[in-house]
């Protein structure tokens, strides 16, 4: 069976370091021009008001006390109620009412498989996803809403909590570019940079309930772990927007002769006669896409399949007007 062949393949014969190292601006003037008329709109209505256009009362930190909750790693220690700690020997955080802004988290897969780019397209999956991330950051900051970023592999995760000014946006852009450079250098040096979805569990605890979460990935790896992460987000009543990023060649398998493929994350290589496996490969890859889509929709997330040759002018309205 060819069950594992559709995943994480790179055509060795066409690989060039320039694929990863050439500069790719995250926001071009053309992309910014396409953003002008768009708005981020939440699917859910919270407290009777539309998020991102009005301010509703939700729990946060300001002057009017609302309730206590258990302390979690990453909470501001200034909000610990020390009187309750003295009585119960447990940490509790004071929660307050605040005028809140729309809160969006971007979760970006930066594993090695995301660096793949076929010769027919301009951007790798990672560079394309980063352009989408940067576009969303720009939109949200223009609306004065809050946006945070999580990038991750098995080796590390980087988290920038939500903010809403241009200085904050610059930090997000810098992290996106730095993680792209790290991933590409790892591929060139044959260093594994794989995906472990369950490593996100501690980070997800820091995501506020009812946030919008954009999850950008090619979904290669352990699908059960990915679904577990989505379940955790849905348990927090988050609006999960799954952006499935693939290269067109991964779907069409446009190879015809004897070809050597490389697993970008495991490093293994195989040589095959492409024509002999093309039909089976396409069948398995489409089944893989259908399986991911079905499981995301069953959890009441939204699903968008995005190929890296798609125009941003077509993709951006789709992902912000869900």
């Amino acid at each position: 069976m060819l069950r594992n062949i559709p995943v994480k393949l790179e055509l060795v014969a066409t690989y060039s370091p320039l694929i990863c190292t050439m500069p790719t601006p995250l926001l071009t003037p053309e992309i910014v021009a396409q953003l002008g008329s768009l708005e981020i709109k939440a699917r859910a209505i919270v407290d009777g008001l539309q998020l991102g256009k009005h301010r509703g009362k939700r729990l946060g930190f300001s002057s009017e006390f609302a309730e206590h909750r258990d302390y979690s790693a990453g909470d501001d220690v200034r909000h610990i109620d020390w009187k309750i700690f003295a009585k119960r020997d447990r940490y509790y955080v004071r929660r307050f009412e605040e005028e809140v802004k729309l809160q969006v988290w971007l979760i970006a897969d930066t594993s090695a498989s995301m660096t793949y780019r076929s010769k027919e397209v301009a951007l790798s999956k990672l560079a394309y996803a980063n352009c989408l991330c940067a576009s969303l950051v720009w939109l949200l900051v223009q609306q004065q809403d809050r946006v945070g970023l999580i990038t991750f592999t098995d080796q590390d995760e980087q988290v920038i909590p939500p903010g809403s000014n241009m200085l904050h946006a610059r930090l997000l852009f810098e992290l996106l570019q730095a993680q792209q450079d790290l991933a590409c250098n790892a591929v060139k040096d044959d260093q594994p940079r794989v995906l472990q979805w369950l490593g996100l569990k501690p980070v997800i605890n820091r995501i506020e309930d009812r946030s919008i979460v954009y999850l950008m990935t090619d979904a290669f790896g352990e699908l059960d772990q990915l679904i577990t992460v989505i379940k955790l987000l849905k348990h927090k009543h988050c609006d999960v927007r799954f952006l499935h990023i693939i290269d067109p060649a991964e779907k069409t398998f446009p190879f015809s002769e004897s070809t050597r493929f490389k697993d970008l994350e495991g490093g293994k290589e195989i040589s095959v006669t492409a024509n002999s496996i093309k039909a089976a490969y396409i069948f398995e890859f489409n089944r893989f896409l259908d399986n991911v889509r079905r499981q995301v929709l069953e959890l009441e997330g939204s699903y968008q399949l995005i190929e890296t040759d798609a125009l941003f002018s077509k993709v951006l309205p789709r992902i912000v007007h869900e």
Side-chain angles (χ1 to χ4, degrees):
M1 294 295 291
L2 301 172
R3 200 173 299 274
N4 295 322
I5 289 180
V7 182
K8 300 178 291 188
L9 296 181
E10 177 184 19
L11 184 60
V12 174
T14 62
Y15 175 77
S16 166
L18 292 177
I19 290 174
C20 291
T21 60
M22 64 182 181
T24 303
L26 295 181
L27 280 178
T28 65
E30 291 77 16
I31 293 173
V32 172
Q34 294 165 11
L35 300 178
S37 63
L38 300 180
E39 284 182 343
I40 301 294
K41 292 183 178 179
R43 180 183 304 139
I45 302 300
V46 179
D47 299 322
L49 296 175
Q50 183 176 309
L51 289 174
K53 301 196 70 166
H54 304 282
R55 302 297 176 234
K57 289 287 186 180
R58 282 176 57 199
L59 291 176
F61 293 108
S62 70
S63 57
E64 186 178 347
F65 175 75
E67 65 177 12
H68 289 96
R69 66 165 173 80
D70 289 338
Y71 173 83
S72 298
D75 287 335
D76 193 329
V77 296
R78 292 176 298 175
H79 300 293
I80 293 176
D81 192 321
W82 296 107
K83 291 182 179 179
I84 290 186
F85 173 75
K87 294 179 180 179
R88 303 185 183 180
D89 197 29
R90 287 185 62 183
Y91 293 108
Y92 289 89
V93 175
R94 289 170 293 182
R95 305 183 77 185
F96 301 84
E97 299 282 0
E98 73 170 343
E99 292 289 317
V100 298
K101 301 176 180 179
L102 176 66
Q103 182 154 280
V104 177
W105 282 88
L106 310 176
I107 301 180
D109 173 4
T110 60
S111 61
S113 68
M114 290 289 288
T115 65
Y116 177 62
R117 176 179 76 87
S118 60
K119 61 183 180 180
E120 291 82 10
V121 298
L123 299 176
S124 68
K125 292 182 286 184
L126 182 54
Y128 193 98
N130 281 353
C131 285
L132 289 181
C133 282
S135 301
L136 290 169
V137 169
W138 191 91
L139 277 170
L140 288 160
V141 169
Q142 293 298 310
Q143 294 176 190
Q144 297 185 324
D145 287 313
R146 292 165 54 81
V147 55
L149 174 65
I150 300 170
T151 66
F152 67 101
T153 64
D154 64 329
Q155 298 165 347
D156 67 337
E157 70 251 352
Q158 299 292 327
V159 181
I160 298 181
S164 58
N165 57 41
M166 287 308 299
L167 178 60
H168 178 76
R170 189 173 297 114
L171 292 175
L172 300 186
F173 295 154
E174 290 173 354
L175 177 57
L176 288 169
Q177 190 63 62
Q179 290 299 304
Q180 182 170 309
D181 293 343
L182 283 174
C184 292
N185 290 334
V187 169
K188 288 191 297 181
D189 297 337
D190 287 327
Q191 296 176 353
R193 188 177 173 88
V194 300
L195 191 62
Q196 293 292 338
W197 288 103
L198 293 185
L200 281 177
K201 291 177 69 174
V203 179
I204 287 174
N205 291 332
R206 298 173 60 179
I207 295 178
E208 186 175 287
D209 290 359
R210 301 184 184 278
S211 295
I212 292 177
V213 180
Y214 282 93
L215 208 165
M216 304 187 193
T217 178
D218 56 16
F220 295 158
E222 296 295 332
L223 184 56
D224 289 346
Q225 292 187 17
L226 170 57
I227 296 306
T228 297
V229 166
I230 296 176
K231 287 179 179 178
L232 292 172
L233 290 168
K234 296 303 293 184
H235 183 71
K236 297 170 74 69
H237 306 289
C238 291
D239 179 352
V240 178
R241 301 181 177 187
F242 191 96
L243 306 185
H244 197 170
I245 313 293
I246 67 169
D247 187 284
E250 293 173 325
K251 187 176 182 181
T252 62
F253 201 72
F255 315 114
S256 58
E257 300 176 352
S258 180
T259 308
R260 189 158 54 102
F261 294 93
K262 180 180 180 180
D263 181 340
L264 287 174
E265 295 182 1
K268 295 182 179 179
E269 298 184 14
I270 59 172
S271 295
V272 298
T273 302
N275 279 335
S276 67
I277 68 168
K278 183 171 184 175
Y281 172 92
I282 292 175
F283 175 81
E284 290 290 347
F285 194 79
N286 285 329
R287 188 167 70 168
F288 160 70
L289 295 179
D290 290 342
N291 188 30
V292 175
R293 178 179 181 274
R294 176 182 56 79
Q295 295 202 54
V296 171
L297 294 180
E298 284 178 354
L299 293 173
E300 299 184 343
S302 68
Y303 175 92
Q304 295 276 356
L305 179 64
I306 300 173
E307 299 183 34
T308 54
D309 61 350
L311 296 175
F312 284 98
S313 60
K314 302 293 185 182
V315 172
L316 290 170
R318 283 165 47 196
I319 68 175
V320 302
H321 287 311
E322 294 185 90

